[in-house]
Every structure is written in structure tokens, then in C-alpha cells.
Amino acid sequence: MASTLSEAYRDHPQYLHHIIPIDFSSVRSLPDSHAWPQTMDGAGRCSADDDDEEGSGLSIPVIDLMDPNAVEQIGFACEEWGVFQLKNHGVGLSLLEEVEAEAKRLFALPANQKLKALRSPDGATGYGRARISPFFPKYMWHEGFTIMGSPFHDANEIWPDHCAPFCELMENYQKQLKVLAEKLTRMMLGFVGISEEEAKWVGSSGSTGAVQLNYYPQCPEPNRAMGLAPHTDTSVLTILHQSQTKGLQIFKDRVGWVPVHPDPRALVVNVGDLLHIISNARFPCVLHRVTVDRVQHRYSVAYFYGPPLDYVLLSPLAEQARFRGRHSERVYRD
Ligand code: OGA
Ligand code: NI
């Protein structure tokens, strides 16, 4: 069994013809490879959704991290939605703007320059298609660049001799986002009754973070294309900075697709598969997707946070916490 992410990718390589994004800047009409039948995403996307976007009138919770009741608010938002917008998160607006500007600079490069950092079939980092691509029969209107630890190797392929500003910025961003992710993870685990003792990996040097730069170019036929098909994130939690172009939507039971409105000062936080399991499904891992726009490019920066790569989760931690709760209640009543 693969014990690290790199080994997992090595054991399940993606071959080159699957991962080279098309040169979107040279495409004038939607190729068949990228045209999604309206029922294909499994969650009923149709053009009517766009008109109806504000239809439900619902929006995801907005939480102020400085609020004295932030833990409860975050806990309730995770239970009800699995996602929320976070304000006063401590990450400077200028840092967010600089990271977005670097993403724009990278994706604006000519295709052949970006391809110098093409993710290898058995690699985890660099430039390429969405990782979820092989699970879908059509291609997405998307390019990505993945960073784990130092981006030097890949960035140096693209900008030989002058990749230092990009690398320093991305390393700084990872450091700051790790601190925020640890804080949020502790709050969420605390809310479901999991002690720090049981989740010692949070804040340890082994915990893992990855930055994913996403680019969704303008698209000639946005209603037939898909930026990122519906998926959940495998992380514990994801913290996303999105540019001003709308596109991100989350799926809410009995409601349907709900847009996540861009807010330059807020970060979008969502529960990943691992936290869903750890919390014994008290927190849903929210299904989300990205639509594309006819005239505007969209950029986003996702930070995925998770335990060390060799972490083994034997059973949901929250179930154990609840069991202890019931047990002590019984003892108390007896
Ligand atoms: C992701 C993701 C959303 C976005 O990278 O997993 O869901 O808005 N991104 O780009
Ligand atoms: Ni995602």
C-alpha cells in the first residue's frame, strides 16, 4: 500500500495525454472534448441554473473569526452547510492580492512555457489538469498549478534564474495558511468533542498542506462547459481565496446549487472528506463545482490541509467522543 501521497501518485500514474491542458487562448469554439451534456455532471446542471442563480436567495454563513462565539458559529456552519465565508482571518489583503497576481502572471504565459513545469504522470506538483479529471468523461475548462512545500523545482523550469519572488511569496502564503488551518481545525474538532490529545497531529510539523492555483479562462460557451466538475475535497479542510469572478457553487440538500459570492476580504472554508469521517459525518463534506464565464477569467487559490501522510484513521474520532459523553452521563445519573 502506498504510504505517501507521492507514492500513491507513482503507483497510479496519469499519462501525459490525459493531463496536458488545451491552449485555451487559441480556442475560439468549444471542442467536443470539453462540451458537457447538461445531465452529465450528475447533479443536474442546466443553463436555467444560471438565470436562477439567486433563486433560493440562500447564501452560505459569513463568520467573523474575532467574534467571541466563533467556535459555535463555525461548528453550526459546518454542521448545516459544511462551508462558510471567514472574515477577519488574519491573512493580509495585500498578500491575497499578490498571490492572485502571481497566479495571473503564471497562467498568462504562453502554453509552451507552462508545459515546462507539466506535472509528470507520477508526480504531485506542477502545471496540469484538475486532479479529478480522470473520473469524468469530459474535460474541464481549467488549468492548475500545484505546490507542496517549496515550489522551486517547478517554478525554476518556468522562470529559470528569476523564480525567487514567486517562490518566496508562495512559501510565505503556505506558512500563513497553515497557521490559520491549524486554528480552524482545532476549533472544529473541539466543537465535536475531540480532545487535542486525540488529534496531536494538528500543528505538528508532519501535517500536510498544498496550494492549488486555479485558472478558469473565459469560455465561448459557458453553459455547455464545466470549470471544475462536482467533487468533494479529500483534505481535512480547504481554505479558498477566490477572485472577483463568480463561479463557485456548493450543493445543499433540498435546495440545490448555491453560489458562493466573491468577497475579496473573505476566505471560503469547506469541510473535506477526512473531517467528514473524523466527525462521524456530523459535518458534511460539501459537494462543490465551478462554472465558467463568457467574458471574465476566474482565478482561485485553494489551500488543502491534512494530517501527516502516514496518518492512519481507524475510526471516526467523534463517535468515540460521543460514546464517552453518553457513558459519563450514565454514570452521573446512576
Ligand atoms: C478546488 C476547488 C474551487 C474554485 O480547487 O478543489 O474546488 O473556486 N476550487 O476554484
Ligand atoms: Ni474543491
Side-chain angles (χ1 to χ4, degrees), residues 212 214 216 228 231 233 240 242 248 288 290 298 300 302 304:
Q212 168 77 28
N214 293 307
Y216 308 91
L228 214 51
H231 68 281
D233 296 340
L240 183 94
Q242 51 172 346
L248 177 61
H288 52 286
V290 179
R298 170 184 169 77
S300 74
F304 303 107

Side-chain angles (χ1 to χ4, degrees), residues 102-139:
E102 280 301 288
K104 283 184 184 161
R105 191 162 78 93
L106 187 144
F107 290 118
L109 293 171
N112 60 1
Q113 202 169 338
K114 289 184 279 192
L115 288 174
K116 289 182 182 156
L118 183 65
R119 198 163 56 216
S120 61
D122 55 355
T125 65
Y127 173 73
R129 280 188 193 288
R131 266 267 159 209
I132 55 172
S133 270
F135 301 106
F136 295 90
K138 291 285 180 174
Y139 292 143

